[in-house]
Amino acid sequence: MELNNKVIIVSGAGSGIGAATAKLLSAQGAKVIASDIDLSKVEAVVNEITKSGGQAWAKQTDVTQFTEVAALVSETVADHNQIDVMVNNAGIGGEHQRKTAEHTNEDWHNVIAVNQTGVFYCMKTALQQMMKQGYGNIINIASLAGLKPSGYNLSYSASKFAVVGMTKSAALEYGRKNIRINAICPGYTQSPLLDKLIGNKPEMGDTLKKLIPMDRFGEASEIAEAIAWLASDKTKYITGQTIILDGGTSLI
Ligand SMILES: NC(=O)c1ccc[n+]([C@@H]2O[C@H](COP(=O)([O-])OP(=O)(O)OC[C@H]3O[C@@H](n4cnc5c(N)ncnc54)[C@H](O)[C@@H]3O)[C@@H](O)[C@H]2O)c1
């Protein structure tokens, strides 16, 4: 199998894209360390994987807490000797959709803490281990919102542009160390995060779909396929790139 026995950490694996990714990676033979701030959600995902014959372990980790992220990395190495791939997927959208002057300080701090600082903590601790191993592969889940402007959620936009910047800058630093770092940029994708954005306003869903030339939202499983491809050795010459899966939204 493509990912046979690769040790892969996935953050935010309890839901949406992270859950779909944990399932697909394990189906392709990986040993998946599925982490999430919500232990019960990620345990349910791990149960599903192990019942179907895959290898996965649940870990509770809040990516905004450096000591928890460091423990996730060190416990993974203690249990499995190495980290082949780190998928930094945990992310939040913020509570309110407002223009910048009305953007709440609370949304700003919460979104930056998870989406930006969380990715930094995960990259930093994973890179320390990958340097010791002499190889590694980091996949950051950014967003189309990290490549082009999107209104009404400045903190989300700022955090995702930052993820793209951190991906490219670190890829430049670690290419010679046999560590590659890429970002996946999904467009609107079916998940609890998108459900929350649309809320109970179906017209909002219709408005968003008008922005998508393929006329539908992405599926979490479709994003997971690209993550599995980047996790595989088929892509071992790719680093510092942003891979867009958006049904053509970026064309508009
Ligand atoms: N769904 C979309 O339309 C879309 C589009 C572009 C990018 N993304 C990105 O994809 C990633 C996954 O999003 P999703 O749509 O699957 O969302 P989701 O809400 O379904 O899943 C996010 C997961 O992250 C976890 N999480 C939240 N805060 C955390 C923390 N502090 N520490 C650890 N885990 C935490 C949640 O418990 C949840 O299980 C996010 O980074 C998101 O920004 C999503």
Side-chain angles (χ1 to χ4, degrees):
M1 273 190 287
E2 203 55 56
L3 301 175
N4 238 356
N5 288 326
K6 279 192 192 292
V7 177
I8 306 184
I9 297 176
V10 181
S11 72
S15 168
I17 294 169
T21 300
K23 289 176 200 171
L24 182 63
L25 298 178
S26 62
Q28 294 189 3
K31 296 178 177 175
V32 176
I33 317 308
S35 83
D36 203 285
I37 193 171
D38 186 327
L39 186 60
S40 62
K41 278 200 304 186
V42 83
E43 278 176 342
V45 172
V46 164
N47 280 341
E48 205 182 310
I49 291 172
T50 49
K51 267 190 197 143
S52 54
Q55 303 182 83
W57 294 264
K59 292 268 183 200
Q60 185 168 30
T61 311
D62 178 350
V63 297
T64 70
Q65 302 304 309
F66 184 76
T67 50
E68 292 188 29
V69 174
L72 172 67
V73 166
S74 63
E75 285 167 20
T76 300
V77 175
D79 294 344
H80 303 282
N81 301 319
Q82 71 214 47
I83 299 170
D84 294 291
V85 187
M86 179 92 159
V87 181
N88 297 320
N89 164 77
I92 59 172
E95 292 300 317
H96 308 286
Q97 302 295 308
R98 293 179 183 166
K99 282 191 185 174
T100 301
E102 285 79 42
H103 197 69
T104 68
N105 295 354
E106 193 184 20
D107 264 354
W108 176 265
H109 290 297
N110 290 339
V111 170
I112 297 295
V114 179
N115 297 9
Q116 184 170 342
T117 308
V119 171
F120 164 60
Y121 288 166
C122 290
M123 287 176 70
K124 175 176 170 164
T125 50
L127 283 165
Q128 288 171 355
Q129 170 58 25
M130 289 171 179
M131 288 287 288
K132 285 186 210 155
Q133 301 170 176
Y135 64 90
N137 180 356
I138 295 176
I139 303 166
N140 293 327
I141 311 309
S143 171
L144 193 55
L147 296 172
K148 57 180 283 200
S150 55
Y152 301 93
N153 202 341
L154 194 78
S155 52
Y156 191 78
S157 167
S159 70
K160 295 301 186 178
F161 268 84
V163 172
V164 170
M166 291 191 287
T167 300
K168 289 178 180 286
S169 297
L172 188 66
E173 291 174 349
Y174 290 95
R176 284 197 176 78
K177 301 292 180 188
N178 198 22
I179 301 169
R180 60 201 184 88
I181 306 164
N182 292 288
I184 295 280
C185 295
Y188 297 110
T189 306
Q190 291 284 3
S191 77
L193 186 145
L194 185 66
D195 293 343
K196 190 172 171 189
L197 178 70
I198 295 171
N200 47 13
K201 291 174 285 182
E203 68 280 7
M204 171 84 161
D206 295 339
T207 307
L208 293 182
K209 269 193 200 147
K210 290 203 180 92
L211 303 171
I212 309 172
M214 291 185 79
D215 203 28
R216 66 171 177 87
F217 296 130
E219 299 290 336
S221 60
E222 292 172 316
I223 310 302
E225 289 286 351
I227 296 170
W229 179 67
L230 275 182
S232 77
D233 292 339
K234 287 179 181 170
T235 54
K236 61 188 189 322
Y237 199 49
I238 300 180
T239 195
Q241 301 306 304
T242 50
I243 314 272
I244 302 172
L245 294 94
D246 68 349
T249 307
S250 50
L251 301 171
I252 299 174

